[in-house]
Amino acid sequence: FHSTDKQSGFDKIIVFGEISKESVVSGVRFEGDALLVATGRTPNVENMGLENAGIKYSLTDGIAVNDYLQSSNKSIYAVGDCCTKYQFTHISDFMARIAIRNSLFFGNGKFSNLLIPWATFTKPEVAHVGLYPRDLEERKIAYKTFTKYFREVDRAILEGEVEGFVKVHVKDGTDRIVGATIVGPNAGDMISEISIAMQHKIGLSGISAVIHPYPTKAEALRQTGDLYNKTKLTPVVKGLLANILKL
């Protein structure tokens, strides 16, 4: 994704994914005015006496926990960056909720049941929830993708912020949302509507039936639902509509 920042004048290149050794060897070249290197974090679990408590851990992956967030010592739970690859504040919050219910109130909450949205606050923002196309292909799940570009959304046009898109994946033959990516202003806020729909099994056509205030960028979400609804038109219905419009 390539654009020019209006304030700094810098060219921006956003690479979705990782630059592998193979791509470097093959001569793939990326140019820009600045380079942000995200080296990641490692859990700080040394010198805590975890061995004395019978808790298994590694310096790279942190404390080993099961789906109920119990460590190898079943009486001790762990949450947050010290035990998960999802190093987000909001994930730590919901992991803590699971641990509290399971440890104090005889709960049986599972970490694997969490639907995890995330956002990267670059400019434009990038947000995602659910599965990526590569995940769907690996699981042999047939899907369709519906994309609405902000350059086609009135509010984005009015504010001159037309970079980006809303991309929603649905299971083929249904309107069940299995993943979504938003690139654009306030993407981190907008992804929550998709997360709610997925959590409560509201299909993409259901989103299209909800009135969104005009003009807002959130209309892009509803309009992806409109794109889905168009696929339900049979050739006969399309022909009838075409004839009506000619009148």
Side-chain angles (χ1 to χ4, degrees):
F1 188 86
H2 179 265
S3 65
T4 301
D5 184 83
K6 294 180 180 179
Q7 294 181 345
S8 67
F10 284 169
D11 284 338
K12 295 185 297 181
I13 299 175
I14 298 177
V15 180
F16 295 95
E18 298 179 352
I19 302 176
S20 64
K21 293 181 180 179
E22 290 76 12
S23 67
V24 174
V25 172
S26 63
V28 177
R29 182 176 178 179
F30 298 94
E31 295 185 2
D33 297 289
L35 176 65
L36 172 64
V37 179
T39 58
R41 291 170 289 174
T42 56
N44 183 11
V45 291
E46 291 184 273
N47 303 317
M48 297 177 63
L50 297 179
E51 302 90 343
N52 299 330
I55 298 174
K56 295 180 180 179
Y57 70 94
S58 73
L59 299 182
T60 54
D61 300 325
I63 299 172
V65 295
N66 61 20
D67 207 14
Y68 300 97
L69 302 182
Q70 293 172 301
S71 69
S72 52
N73 181 335
K74 302 303 183 191
S75 299
I76 298 177
Y77 293 72
V79 302
D81 294 0
C82 70
C83 65
T84 178
K85 64 180 180 180
Y86 300 103
Q87 296 180 338
F88 304 108
T89 302
H90 51 287
I91 300 306
S92 298
D93 175 12
F94 273 77
M95 291 178 75
R97 294 167 189 246
I98 291 174
I100 290 171
R101 287 194 294 267
N102 290 352
S103 62
L104 300 179
F105 301 102
F106 307 101
N108 60 353
K110 294 183 178 181
F111 178 71
S112 60
N113 289 337
L114 294 180
L115 177 67
I116 300 176
W118 60 260
T120 302
F121 298 101
T122 50
K123 187 177 181 182
E125 292 181 15
V126 181
H128 178 82
V129 66
L131 301 175
Y132 291 96
R134 64 175 179 269
D135 301 322
L136 295 165
E137 291 161 7
E138 288 174 359
R139 302 183 188 190
K140 294 180 170 47
I141 299 174
Y143 68 96
K144 290 188 180 298
T145 300
F146 298 93
T147 304
K148 189 68 178 181
Y149 293 93
F150 282 113
R151 63 173 180 263
E152 302 167 334
V153 178
D154 288 351
R155 178 62 177 269
I157 295 171
L158 286 169
E159 295 185 347
E161 295 180 325
V162 295
E163 297 175 347
F165 54 83
V166 173
K167 184 175 291 187
V168 181
H169 313 296
V170 300
K171 186 175 181 181
D172 193 19
T174 75
D175 69 342
R176 178 190 161 205
I177 302 170
V178 292
T181 299
I182 303 176
V183 178
N186 306 114
D189 296 318
M190 293 177 63
I191 200 68
S192 293
E193 183 171 348
I194 299 293
S195 300
I196 291 172
M198 293 180 66
Q199 185 77 33
H200 296 283
K201 297 180 173 54
I202 300 170
L204 190 53
S205 60
I207 291 178
S208 75
V210 176
I211 298 175
H212 289 61
Y214 177 90
T216 59
K217 296 186 181 75
E219 277 198 302
L221 298 169
R222 180 187 59 76
Q223 290 166 358
T224 58
D226 292 342
L227 293 175
Y228 167 79
N229 288 336
K230 289 180 181 179
T231 66
K232 297 194 296 182
L233 296 176
T234 65
V236 173
V237 174
K238 288 181 180 179
L240 289 173
L241 289 175
N243 290 329
I244 291 173
L245 292 174
K246 289 178 182 179
L247 298 177

